[in-house]
Amino acid sequence: MAARGLLSEQVSDTNFDDDDTLFIQPGKPVQNAFVESFNGKFRDECLNQSWFVSLADACRSIGAWRLDYNRVRPHSSLGDPTPEAYAEKAGLAA
C-alpha cells in the first residue's frame, strides 16, 4: 500500500469526537464554534458595516470595534462582564 503524502488526506480520514479534536477538519467550522461565533460577530458588526477607504481607515475602524468588544460589551459566555473585567477579576490582566 502506498504511503499517503498529504496531511489533509490523513486528517480527513481520522475519526473525530468532540472531546479529542486536535485539528479542525476542512469544511467543518462547527468543530471550532467559539472562533466561528467571533468571526460572525466581527463580520456582521464591523466588516459589513464599514466601507474602508484605506488601510489606515480599516485599522482605525477595526481597532475601535475591538476596544468596544473587549472593554464595553458584556459577554454572556463569561457571565456578563466584559472580557477586560473578567481578566482583571481572574488575575489574568496583562
Side-chain angles (χ1 to χ4, degrees):
M1 178 190 246
R4 297 177 75 178
L6 295 177
L7 177 62
S8 63
E9 288 176 351
Q10 294 170 10
V11 170
S12 69
D13 291 342
T14 304
N15 291 325
F16 288 93
D17 61 19
D18 291 335
D19 297 330
D20 196 29
T21 300
L22 299 176
F23 300 101
I24 305 302
Q25 290 176 288
K28 304 283 186 177
V30 296
Q31 290 179 350
N32 195 351
F34 294 109
V35 169
E36 288 302 311
S37 175
F38 172 79
N39 286 346
K41 287 180 177 78
F42 180 58
R43 184 172 39 292
D44 292 343
E45 299 171 9
C46 183
L47 299 179
N48 289 348
Q49 301 296 319
S50 303
W51 184 269
F52 306 119
V53 295
S54 66
L55 179 59
D57 181 40
C59 288
R60 273 191 302 276
S61 294
I62 292 168
W65 183 86
R66 181 182 53 82
L67 290 176
D68 178 69
Y69 186 82
N70 288 320
R71 295 183 177 171
V72 177
R73 178 196 317 204
H75 291 246
S76 61
S77 64
L78 302 176
D80 288 329
T82 64
E84 189 173 78
Y86 183 85
E88 286 175 10
K89 184 176 180 182
L92 303 172

